[in-house]
Amino acid sequence: LISRDEVYQMIFEGDTRQPLSVSFRLMAPFILEKPTYLGYDARTAVRKFFDAPDGSSFWKLPINKSVQEVYWPLVDMILKVELKRSEQSTIFSQYIPKIPAVRGTQVLVDLLIALNGARLDRDAYYGLSGNESKSYCLSCLLHVSEPAPGEDVETLRECLKDHSVSDERLIEVAMFNDHWIPIIEAYLGWKGLAKGIYYFAAHMDEDLSERQQSIIARYTPIPIEDLNHGAMDIRWFREAYDLLGEDHFNLLYQSAKYLAASNKHTRARKYADAMNGKFDIKETEREIKDKRNKDLLMAYGLIPLKDQDDIAHRYAFIQDFRKESKSFGGQRQASEAIAADMAIKNLASNAGVEDVTRFIMRMEAQITDSLDKFFSWTALGDDIELRIAQSDEDYSLSIECQKSGKPLKSVPSKYKKDPTVISFREALKSLREQFSRTKRMCEEFMENGTELTIDELQVLLGNRIAGPVLSKIVYLLGDKSIHYFEHAFDNPQGIKFRLSADAKLRIAHPYDLYKNGDWAFYQKYIFDHQIKQPFRQVFRELYLLTDEEREMIYSLRFAGNQIKTRQTVGCLKGRRWGASYEDGLQKIYYRENIIATIYAEADWFSPSDIEPPTLEYVVFFDRETHEELELQEVPPIIFSEVMRDVDMAVSVAHAGDVDPETSHSTIEMRKIIAEYNVQLFGLKNVSFDARHARIKGKRASYTIHLGSGTIFEIGGSHIAVLPVHSQHKGRLFLPFIDEDPKTAEIMSKILLFANDMKIKDPYILRQL
């Protein structure tokens, strides 16, 4: 509609304050071939103008050719002025950071000559306005430069034949702008240059373009997300280092700072130093503890290994780092947990083990084996002996002391600082931490569907710590549930299984037992045999989609509950939830590519000063596309675990007047436990409705609320009973080790008032 001259006149004499900046912004999507930069409305308008259907190729529209014809002569004219500048800025200098692209090998050489050895300005990554210095403007142009179509190494040789450019400067260019890597690699004749540069680019926490990600995928099978989080491909590093040699690799090492504007390249440097044995173990551990340096922690596992004891020591150190992070805030705790995961992954890779799960199990078993001697009686002096003992009831660990064969309540005070006693205490601490890790690991195995072979189970069952955990768990073989009680595989129908050594089992989730109809069988079996599970498995709360939710994107089942932000973050951070400034509370499932998000009008990083926020809804996103998922698309186990976490947050951090222990699923689970216990104790005068236990006593009839534990006499008033949890502990059977004190309290009250004639407390008798 208008001539090219009229376009140029609009660019240079337009009404806008910065016509060149606006013009470059409008032309960038066409020059960079990224129509999404235009936005949907603009693309629709362009298609409509040219009568192009929505499905047609955007790049075949005439406007693209017109923009190219305007843009390249304009850039050439600006380059002619800017390349001849002195330290004084030109009329175009303020617009240089807005130029989206320049092309040509000759332009590259001209830029290097104009720089005249000056350091490249890494602020060019940001394209900051207001900086018109010579090095900054030329660095901006260098950052967006690329070879013209058809140019290759011969073009570079021809352009450089009359100029002297050092190898170091060319390496800096390749780091600064990876479009030039193939040509510079061929020019220098360095084998492995691209592999080495992309090693540094991949092993730093930096957003990479789709083109860069596709190139990196050629060198490593590790997902780009894991690389960003800190995973290390040792094989890739070794190949690059061996191809380049020490001198050439060191040149890349020095130039790595040009990969980003920040200091993110230091992680890749630390990894390289660790792999080359430049770190001292003791000094590194001290710095990690003092400075909580996450990059150094992830590099720690890459230091050359000495033996199996060295591997076990480092594994324990990383786990200690993870435990110590509990003293910090939720966001920092989440980031340090990821760093610890990556550190273990790197340690496993360094040890030659690809499967991290198997590596963790092997390390846990090795730690226990190394402490096995502490379970035997050890002489201390004066006929006093020590050993570590494990309870058969709840698997708790403690130090036992005896004198001449007679048990003592504790170690005599005069031996408190004895090296043997100190070593026993350290061993006890290590074993207790290992027991907690093993329980947590098995629970995560259940949530993630991790598979274990029969051989692996047999080895772990012989372990003092892992054995008691794994022997009380229900497993799945395919879709059939079986259990390992008494070390014999059975199913609810009593059929014996013949399993090969490589048969794969996974820890059953309540959803699996519900689906195959075995859930009630195992609940009854566990109560009848008084089996204590190490974590909530069979009696775990299960949340299923309602008919209404099947057609929804958001779950509103907890909407309207007021919560305290600090307590919510505190109770969820142990369940792998993290707080994001943009999206609130999130839990990420990397394998399934799902993000669960809790929405509430809340500042998750500080307590609310006015009124506690109200939960709105829970939603699930695809991790890669960030599109909302329908609830029926979410795997049932993930949905149940997320809803369980939200229910826990509502119960623990509730800010309203309603008792925080009255959530529906909690009451349902307590009701099941109470019903089984009532049968176990042979009580005939207790019945249950939706939320209460109803007791027909001899003095009166009572109701006990299954949420709050509140007791009322029917036809009478509230009866105040103060629970003393420490006295009840160990006297009442609950089907899991991590007892819910409220469940134990309610069950104790049911037993007390079902036999109300035995009540001797004068205060309660006066109320009755």
Side-chain angles (χ1 to χ4, degrees), residues 92-305:
F92 295 121
S93 295
Q94 62 177 311
Y95 307 114
I96 293 297
K98 306 301 180 184
I99 294 177
V102 296
R103 282 182 182 167
T105 306
Q106 185 59 56
V107 172
L108 169 68
V109 174
D110 291 343
L111 286 169
L112 295 178
I113 293 170
L115 280 166
N116 193 29
R119 180 178 297 179
L120 301 181
D121 195 327
R122 294 194 291 158
D123 285 343
Y125 281 94
Y126 295 128
L128 300 172
S129 57
N131 189 345
E132 298 180 18
S133 68
K134 181 179 180 180
S135 62
Y136 175 73
C137 289
L138 295 180
S139 295
C140 286
L141 292 170
L142 184 60
H143 185 56
V144 298
S145 66
E146 59 184 65
E151 292 185 337
D152 56 17
V153 64
E154 296 303 325
T155 311
L156 181 60
R157 285 197 179 98
E158 180 65 25
C159 293
L160 285 176
K161 66 179 182 181
D162 296 327
H163 305 283
S164 176
V165 178
S166 66
D167 293 352
E168 181 180 359
R169 175 61 91 180
L170 291 175
I171 295 301
E172 291 174 353
V173 171
M175 287 284 188
F176 199 63
N177 184 341
D178 68 331
H179 285 97
W180 295 102
I181 289 177
I183 291 178
I184 292 176
E185 182 177 40
Y187 178 82
L188 295 175
W190 292 9
K191 290 183 179 180
L193 178 62
K195 184 173 286 191
I197 291 176
Y198 281 113
Y199 154 78
F200 281 98
H203 291 90
M204 63 178 189
D205 184 12
E206 183 76 4
D207 292 330
L208 301 173
S209 67
E210 292 183 2
R211 181 184 64 82
Q212 291 171 319
Q213 291 182 31
S214 65
I215 294 173
I216 287 170
R218 303 172 195 169
Y219 296 114
T220 179
I222 298 177
I224 193 68
E225 293 86 357
D226 286 354
L227 291 170
N228 281 342
H229 286 150
M232 163 72 165
D233 192 325
I234 295 175
R235 176 193 54 81
W236 184 2
F237 169 81
R238 286 299 177 203
E239 288 178 357
Y241 191 87
D242 292 342
L243 284 171
L244 287 164
E246 183 178 358
D247 292 340
H248 289 168
F249 186 87
N250 287 340
L251 192 54
L252 266 63
Y253 181 98
Q254 297 299 327
S255 303
K257 60 188 176 185
Y258 292 113
L259 280 169
S262 62
N263 291 327
K264 293 180 177 180
H265 64 283
T266 56
R267 175 194 289 176
R269 282 185 172 182
K270 284 185 175 72
Y271 287 1
D273 288 341
M275 289 294 298
N276 287 328
K278 295 183 179 180
F279 287 159
D280 177 76
I281 291 289
K282 296 299 182 184
E283 187 176 336
T284 302
E285 290 177 350
R286 187 162 48 251
E287 186 173 350
I288 291 171
K289 282 197 169 188
D290 292 344
K291 300 182 179 179
R292 307 296 294 180
N293 190 311
K294 294 188 287 290
D295 286 347
L296 194 58
L297 176 74
M298 292 183 288
Y300 170 71
L302 299 170
I303 302 171
L305 299 168

Side-chain angles (χ1 to χ4, degrees), residues 707-754:
S708 62
T710 305
I711 308 168
F712 282 91
E713 179 187 350
I714 295 177
S717 63
H718 168 249
I719 300 173
V721 176
L722 179 65
V724 185
H725 296 292
S726 61
Q727 292 181 8
H728 290 296
K729 188 175 181 182
R731 297 186 182 181
L732 181 69
F733 169 71
L734 288 178
F736 30 77
I737 290 173
D738 50 335
E739 296 177 349
D740 172 15
K742 182 63 73 172
T743 302
E745 173 194 332
I746 291 169
M747 196 61 234
S748 297
K749 288 176 177 177
I750 291 173
L751 293 174
L752 176 67
F753 282 87

Side-chain angles (χ1 to χ4, degrees), residues 358 361 450-458 475-478 480 482 484 489 497-507:
R358 270 72 188 172
M361 290 192 298
T450 304
E451 292 183 326
L452 303 169
T453 66
I454 296 297
D455 265 2
E456 289 169 337
L457 275 175
Q458 295 285 8
Y475 297 87
L476 282 183
L477 177 64
K480 302 293 184 183
I482 56 179
Y484 212 99
F489 280 112
F497 283 89
R498 286 185 170 273
L499 301 176
S500 60
D502 59 349
K504 292 184 178 180
L505 304 177
R506 63 184 180 90
I507 299 174

Side-chain angles (χ1 to χ4, degrees), residues 326-382:
K326 291 181 179 179
S327 60
F328 301 108
Q331 194 174 24
R332 179 170 176 181
Q333 186 176 140
S335 66
E336 290 193 350
I338 292 174
D341 288 340
M342 291 300 114
I344 291 175
K345 189 180 184 75
N346 290 341
L347 179 61
S349 182
N350 196 14
V353 182
E354 295 300 323
D355 191 323
V356 179
T357 299
R358 270 72 188 172
F359 175 77
I360 291 173
M361 290 192 298
R362 195 178 80 185
M363 287 298 100
E364 294 292 349
Q366 188 172 331
I367 289 174
T368 307
D369 292 343
S370 68
L371 300 175
D372 195 61
K373 62 183 180 180
F374 291 96
F375 288 88
S376 300
W377 288 109
T378 302
L380 186 60
D382 296 332

Side-chain angles (χ1 to χ4, degrees), residues 389-396 468 472 530 532 737:
Q390 189 169 27
S391 167
D392 294 332
E393 182 181 354
D394 60 3
Y395 321 125
S396 61
K472 307 301 180 187
Q530 294 207 19
K532 280 200 171 187
I737 290 173

